[in-house]
Amino acid sequence: MPSSHSQFVSYFAISLTLFLLFRHQPHPHPSATSTTSSTATSSSLRSLPSRLLLSATTIFTASLVALSRIYLMYHTPKQVLVGVAAGVIYATIWFALTSILRQNGWIDWGLEFGLAKWLRIRDLVLYEDLWDAGWGRFDERRRFVKQKKRS
């Protein structure tokens, strides 16, 4: 039985690495807020060396998890290798498939369906700095609640 821990962490590490190196567009969305803390965090992933470092760290951490399965004697080395291979293969296939769908407009087409709109499914990965946008909405809500309490 392949190691599911090894499969998951290798899938995650390869998916994140492929995203950061090939799909991540290091610039915030025009509507992004300019809060100091969120800008500093989101801008830290704008340079290629920082994205490479994060990718290497993620792969290293995934390797430690996979090795821990052998060290703790939950799996044999062969089971861990099969799990890692499965995770890498599935992550690569998924990245390639979603890249093809995105380039040919199928993702945008799918988001136009009534069900996708009803479920509020959105594809913000390429269009918005998610860290900054999330912080901006949180900060707006927090300020609104504070003003409401004062009045």
Side-chain angles (χ1 to χ4, degrees):
M1 190 77 170
S3 168
S4 59
H5 284 84
S6 299
Q7 183 178 351
F8 172 76
V9 296
S10 62
Y11 180 91
F12 174 77
I14 297 303
S15 294
L16 181 63
T17 298
L18 290 171
F19 172 78
L20 288 174
L21 298 181
F22 297 108
R23 196 175 285 164
H24 179 63
Q25 296 177 357
H27 55 77
H29 188 270
S31 67
T33 60
S34 60
T35 327
T36 307
S37 62
S38 60
T39 304
T41 305
S42 64
S43 67
S44 67
L45 284 178
R46 291 184 185 159
S47 70
L48 181 60
S50 62
R51 290 183 280 144
L52 284 170
L53 179 64
L54 180 58
S55 297
T57 303
T58 305
I59 290 171
F60 176 72
T61 305
S63 301
L64 291 177
V65 171
L67 288 172
S68 76
R69 308 310 293 168
I70 298 168
Y71 176 77
L72 296 171
M73 292 188 232
Y74 290 130
H75 293 284
T76 65
K78 189 175 182 179
Q79 290 172 325
V80 170
L81 283 175
V82 170
V84 167
V88 169
I89 289 168
Y90 285 126
T92 306
I93 289 171
W94 182 252
F95 185 82
L97 178 66
T98 57
S99 294
I100 290 168
L101 293 175
R102 187 179 304 283
Q103 288 171 356
N104 292 319
W106 287 95
I107 291 182
D108 291 331
W109 175 79
L111 293 173
E112 292 300 318
F113 278 114
L115 180 62
K117 289 181 179 181
W118 184 74
L119 292 172
R120 297 180 182 232
I121 297 173
R122 301 177 296 164
D123 181 25
L124 300 176
V125 171
L126 298 179
Y127 307 113
E128 191 167 344
D129 184 344
L130 298 179
W131 174 273
D132 198 42
W135 175 257
R137 290 186 193 118
F138 167 76
D139 199 35
E140 281 179 27
R141 218 174 294 126
R142 185 178 54 85
R143 289 180 189 194
F144 176 75
V145 169
K146 277 185 178 180
Q147 286 178 350
K148 197 172 181 180
K149 286 182 180 179
R150 288 181 187 161
S151 49

